[in-house]
Structure formats: structure tokens, C-alpha cells
Amino acid sequence: MPTSFEHRYVIAPGWHGSGAEHWQTHWERAWGNQAVRVQIESWEHPDLDDYLTSLDDAVGAAKLCTIVAHSLGTWAAAEWARTRQPSNVRLLLVAPPDPDAESFPRDEAPTFVLDARPIGVPALVVASTDDPYDTEPAARRIAAAWGAPIEVVGAHGHLNSASRLGMWPVGQALLARLEHMPL
């Protein structure tokens, strides 16, 4: 993996990773060697410290980096940004699951049960109105605690492979909006 890029995209999947039909995978393919996917020891039982180390490696020496995170990956990306305070990173945080919800995988990912706190970097939260892992009010609460604006994109479930978003043009437009936010 190259160590330096002008602009790197870091794909930060959620619990179980992002499969072949996930919009993150489509975007990663389209970006080619400009993108790198976070690699962790276990996608079924992710550990936050492992994820944070992987984000360190993935961001590397990029001059500018956009972390494109989904589900549990949003919590890892937010915690990474909060603790590292990078000056060259933006975060697209899609479908953050609510740690207080019954559907949150506490047994499989206990280190991800976190309180949302200001992350200190430009970020945009994206939520669905019918996400089984998060309600719209909870997503708004999380976004506010992170200090990030939120865009609610309608009823698309967890915004994952099951949502059949393909290249997800709405998400691409939101990414473009994020990339125009000043660092």
C-alpha cells in the first residue's frame, strides 16, 4: 500500500464488513488506488482499539483524507478523529447505530458502546428514517453530540447492501457537500 497520496479515501465498514454489493465497496472500486479499506482482526467481534490502529495505518501520510464510514465504523471514525485531532481529515458518517438501542450488538462489539462527544473535524452524518439500528431522533442526537450536521435521506433501512443503493448517487452528492466544508 502506498504511503502518501494527495487525497485518500478510507473505507470504514461496520459490523461484519461491507460485502460486494454495499455502496462502500462500489465506491472503493471506483476510486481505485486512491482508496484503502480498514482491516481489522474480526468483523464479527470488532475491537475498538484494533479499529483505531487500523485507521492510523489507513490514513497514513495522506495530505488530505476522507473517511467514509458506515454503521459501527462511524463510531470508530468519530472516536479516532476525537482522540487524534487530525487537521487533514473529514468524516462521512453513514447510519450510526444507537448504542442505547436494543438492536445494538453489545455482546459482539462491547468496546463500541460509547458516548457521542464532539469530534473536532468536519463531518456529515447521514441517516435513514427506518433504520433498524437507529431512530431518526437518536441519529439527530448523536450528530448533535458529535458536532456534525445531519442529512436524513428517507426510508432506506440501514443504508447497507440490503438497501440496494448501488453506487448511491445521493450519497455521492453528500460526499461532495462534505468535501466542500473547510478543514
Side-chain angles (χ1 to χ4, degrees), residues 20-24 26 70 155-169:
E21 295 307 315
H22 198 288
W23 59 268
Q24 282 184 313
H26 289 291
H70 178 257
H156 296 287
H158 192 48
L159 299 166
N160 58 8
S161 297
S163 302
R164 300 177 189 248
L165 299 170
M167 282 294 290
W168 195 26

Side-chain angles (χ1 to χ4, degrees), residues 53-138:
T53 299
S54 295
L55 280 165
D56 287 333
D57 294 342
V59 172
K63 292 183 180 169
L64 178 63
C65 183
T66 303
I67 299 175
V68 177
H70 178 257
S71 194
L72 280 183
T74 65
W75 285 96
E79 186 67 7
W80 180 87
R82 188 184 71 73
T83 59
R84 296 340 190 238
Q85 288 298 295
S87 61
N88 63 333
V89 173
R90 293 181 180 99
L91 307 178
L92 184 66
L93 303 167
V94 178
D98 179 4
D100 296 329
E102 296 240 351
S103 57
F104 194 87
R106 276 178 204 76
D107 293 339
E108 295 82 2
T111 58
F112 285 79
V113 178
L114 300 166
D115 292 324
R117 295 185 253 166
I119 54 179
V121 302
L124 179 61
V125 174
V126 182
S128 171
T129 58
D130 64 345
D131 189 332
Y133 297 99
D134 198 9
T135 63
E136 184 180 338

Side-chain angles (χ1 to χ4, degrees), residues 16-74:
H16 297 291
S18 296
E21 295 307 315
H22 198 288
W23 59 268
Q24 282 184 313
T25 304
H26 289 291
W27 290 10
E28 180 183 9
R29 281 190 217 116
W31 290 327
N33 67 0
Q34 198 176 0
V36 63
R37 183 179 291 249
V38 168
Q39 300 297 320
I40 62 172
E41 189 173 318
S42 172
W43 289 108
E44 287 70 37
H45 293 87
D47 176 73
L48 183 60
D49 287 336
D50 180 29
Y51 212 121
L52 297 178
T53 299
S54 295
L55 280 165
D56 287 333
D57 294 342
V59 172
K63 292 183 180 169
L64 178 63
C65 183
T66 303
I67 299 175
V68 177
H70 178 257
S71 194
L72 280 183
T74 65

